[in-house]
Amino acid sequence: MDDVDRRLLDVLREDARASVRDLADRVGISRANAYARIARLREDGVLRRFTVDVDPRALGLGLPAYVHVRIKQNSWKSFRDRVVALEEAEHVALVAGDFDCVLLVRARDADHLRELVLGRIQALPEVVATQTVLIFAEHGRGAGGG
């Protein structure tokens, strides 16, 4: 990875649909060089996929929250499989600390969030306890507002 690769990645983060010609022009290299670098970045696993960034608020999911979850010992895989099936769960991570997992969820409103946490997440057989943290503002790549 050199500075040219990093600039290519920056352009792709802004617009993953940019053409190779546009990438080359914006980074200041030839199209052949841009094509070869993108192919290498994909082969090396740096570029894992090209994706679409959907604004959750446009889908009516304007209330984000982190749900910290304590789970039964040795139940991570089954818990993870159940949680990723929830349409409101955007991200799930196994973490160290007071809780075992952190979920980023997005709900329509407080009633929907309550039903999601109390009715569906806490009802999972692996769950021992939860703590919900509302997100007031987000910032970063793919964050929904600020």
Side-chain angles (χ1 to χ4, degrees):
M1 289 270 309
D2 61 13
D3 287 341
V4 174
D5 290 337
R6 286 181 182 83
R7 289 195 319 263
L8 278 171
L9 293 174
D10 287 342
V11 173
L12 286 170
R13 281 186 191 109
E14 291 174 23
D15 182 6
R17 295 181 60 190
S19 68
V20 174
R21 175 181 290 196
D22 186 39
L23 287 168
D25 290 345
R26 290 174 66 181
V27 174
I29 59 176
S30 71
R31 283 183 294 184
N33 190 358
Y35 185 81
R37 285 173 177 270
I38 291 167
R40 183 180 40 77
L41 289 169
R42 291 183 76 186
E43 289 169 11
D44 291 349
V46 175
L47 280 174
R48 296 184 299 189
R49 61 190 170 122
F50 295 87
T51 187
V52 175
D53 182 19
V54 177
D55 183 351
R57 294 172 298 178
L59 299 177
L61 298 173
L63 181 60
Y66 290 116
V67 181
H68 300 193
V69 184
R70 191 169 297 120
I71 58 175
K72 294 177 184 171
Q73 226 173 0
N74 300 316
S75 65
W76 160 245
K77 289 180 183 176
S78 61
F79 174 76
R80 178 199 59 208
D81 292 346
R82 291 178 201 273
V83 170
V84 297
L86 297 171
E87 66 179 309
E88 299 91 345
E90 184 172 313
H91 181 81
V92 57
L94 180 64
V95 299
D98 291 337
F99 287 87
D100 304 303
C101 307
V102 176
L103 313 176
L104 170 58
V105 299
R106 296 186 184 278
R108 289 184 303 277
D109 53 32
D111 290 336
H112 182 202
L113 181 62
R114 182 180 63 245
E115 185 274 328
L116 173 64
V117 174
L118 301 180
R120 291 191 280 152
I121 294 173
Q122 286 185 356
L124 296 175
E126 300 88 354
V127 173
V128 174
T130 65
Q131 180 182 54
T132 303
V133 179
L134 294 179
I135 299 171
F136 293 129
E138 296 178 90
H139 177 74
R141 293 186 178 98

